[in-house]
Amino acid sequence: MLGRQIWASMRQGLSRGLSRNMKGKKVDIAGIYPPVTTPFTATAEVDYGKLEENLNKLGTFPFRGFVIQGSTGEFPFLTSSERLEVVSRARQAIPKDKLLIAGSGCESTQATVEMTVSMAQVGADAVMVVTPCYYRGRMSSAALIHHYTKVADLSPIPVVLYSVPANTGLDLPVDAVVTLSQHPNIIGIKDSGGDVTKIGLIVHKTSKQDFQVLAGSVGFLLASYAVGAVGGICGLANVLGAQVCQLERLCLTGQWEAAQMLQHRLIEPNTAVTRRFGIPGLKKTMDWFGYYGGPCRAPLQELSPTEEEALRLDFSNNGWL
């Protein structure tokens, strides 16, 4: 924790940088991003060498940038210092022309502000802030608007909202998103809920703002583009980066029939590495595709032989293995 010193420095020193950041209104986040996994050794230490190797391989694809310390990065299992060190090492490995969006969400507003400022200091171009959820029964639209407004007010870099109800049990309400889209330092949202109607409604209701919507999964990427999303943060891009980028190109060039065919072939493997087998499934698949997946941190466990075979079938049945 950076404590009182961070709060003091923000009040004194961030106003000029923040105003400069807001003045030109903002960073264009349109495009595809892999939410990068955090590699661990057999003894559950962060393997920074493997992180760099994975980023170098992923850097061969036409991604807009990388999300570091999102849900796929197992951020709840890392210490604050580890989260910052992962982002710092990633920044060194990622080309300067690629955006680095860092997950900075914590449960309290103060901790989130401190983490956000620290992420900016280690090289993040923007932060992605997940909804606080432990006291979800009290996380009304008013509470969430207050939380995100305070974070955006004090962040020296742009803020992306992050709604992932499968993990948090909390869906960021449309009315809150619309209100927050008017903040000059909130530039967009990653919506992982899978409700394309909601995504389209957010696009519609924020159309007068400089606000961009990213799909949170490749499983509904085509549908999200069809209703006005500008890209996606897609876990499957960690193993099928070329194909996810191809789906983006097909959508952007209006080749909807080809896009539909590719989308269909990506649905089952995407579900396998997200909802069905989660991060252990994604990391196992990374091992198959020439990346380093490796183990997860406990309490996440590796797949059973039966699960691994089911995972392999979801990829091979669609022609990817």
Side-chain angles (χ1 to χ4, degrees):
M1 297 288 272
L2 301 177
R4 296 178 181 174
Q5 293 179 346
I6 281 292
W7 284 93
S9 69
M10 286 185 296
R11 291 190 179 95
Q12 296 171 10
L14 291 183
S15 59
R16 287 176 294 179
L18 187 56
S19 63
R20 283 197 300 269
N21 179 57
M22 292 180 178
K23 189 179 297 183
K25 187 74 162 165
K26 314 175 206 174
V27 176
D28 179 8
I29 57 173
I32 299 297
Y33 303 76
V36 177
T37 58
T38 301
F40 297 106
T41 66
T43 56
E45 300 299 318
V46 178
D47 193 328
Y48 295 106
K50 294 299 185 184
L51 174 66
E52 181 179 357
E53 288 180 15
N54 283 344
L55 286 169
N56 287 338
K57 292 178 180 178
L58 290 169
T60 61
F61 301 110
F63 296 128
R64 177 66 180 95
F66 300 85
V67 170
I68 310 296
Q69 287 300 287
S71 300
T72 305
E74 297 176 65
F75 80 88
F77 298 164
L78 272 65
T79 66
S80 295
S81 59
E82 285 175 329
R83 289 176 69 178
L84 293 169
E85 184 65 17
V86 167
V87 172
S88 177
R89 297 290 190 98
R91 179 72 278 177
Q92 296 172 37
I94 294 171
K96 295 299 183 184
D97 63 335
K98 301 290 186 181
L99 290 180
L100 191 164
I101 301 177
S104 67
C106 303
E107 280 300 302
S108 77
T109 302
Q110 179 170 338
T112 302
V113 169
E114 292 174 359
M115 182 61 75
T116 295
V117 173
S118 296
M119 288 297 188
Q121 292 172 343
V122 296
D125 298 301
V127 288
M128 187 176 74
V129 181
V130 69
T131 50
C133 63
Y134 189 82
Y135 299 107
R136 66 176 58 87
R138 296 297 298 170
M139 290 298 102
S140 62
S141 288
L144 292 167
I145 289 169
H146 181 270
H147 172 73
Y148 280 109
T149 299
K150 180 66 69 174
V151 173
D153 282 347
L154 295 173
S155 174
I157 53 179
V159 173
V160 177
L161 311 175
Y162 181 22
S163 181
V164 54
N167 290 359
T168 64
L170 180 68
D171 200 359
L172 189 56
V174 172
D175 68 301
V177 176
V178 173
T179 298
L180 291 166
S181 72
Q182 300 171 47
H183 193 290
N185 203 33
I186 295 177
I187 61 173
I189 182 172
K190 175 191 177 184
D191 194 313
S192 297
D195 184 344
V196 177
T197 301
K198 181 189 174 189
I199 290 174
L201 188 59
I202 291 173
V203 172
H204 174 60
K205 287 187 171 291
T206 62
S207 60
K208 295 182 180 179
Q209 307 300 326
D210 192 359
F211 187 82
Q212 296 176 304
V213 179
L214 298 174
S217 176
V218 76
F220 48 90
L221 185 60
L222 183 155
S224 297
Y225 272 118
V227 296
V230 299
I233 300 172
C234 306
L236 192 63
N238 284 287
V239 290
L240 295 178
Q243 289 78 11
V244 178
C245 289
Q246 181 185 4
L247 180 56
E248 174 198 28
R249 289 193 300 273
L250 292 171
C251 291
L252 292 178
T253 56
Q255 300 180 67
W256 296 109
E257 185 174 350
Q260 183 185 78
M261 292 175 62
L262 179 55
Q263 175 71 88
H264 287 166
R265 294 177 60 212
L266 294 174
I267 290 174
E268 284 184 313
N270 179 74
T271 301
V273 301
T274 54
R275 297 184 181 181
R276 191 174 182 192
F277 301 118
I279 299 168
L282 176 60
K283 285 190 165 182
K284 175 58 67 175
T285 310
M286 290 174 67
D287 289 332
W288 296 340
F289 279 82
Y291 301 91
Y292 178 82
C296 297
R297 264 196 179 161
L300 286 176
Q301 299 290 295
E302 66 181 40
L303 301 184
S304 69
T306 301
E307 289 174 323
E308 186 174 329
E309 181 58 29
L311 174 65
R312 185 177 288 275
L313 283 174
D314 281 336
F315 277 79
S316 60
N317 287 345
N318 290 280
W320 304 122
L321 280 173

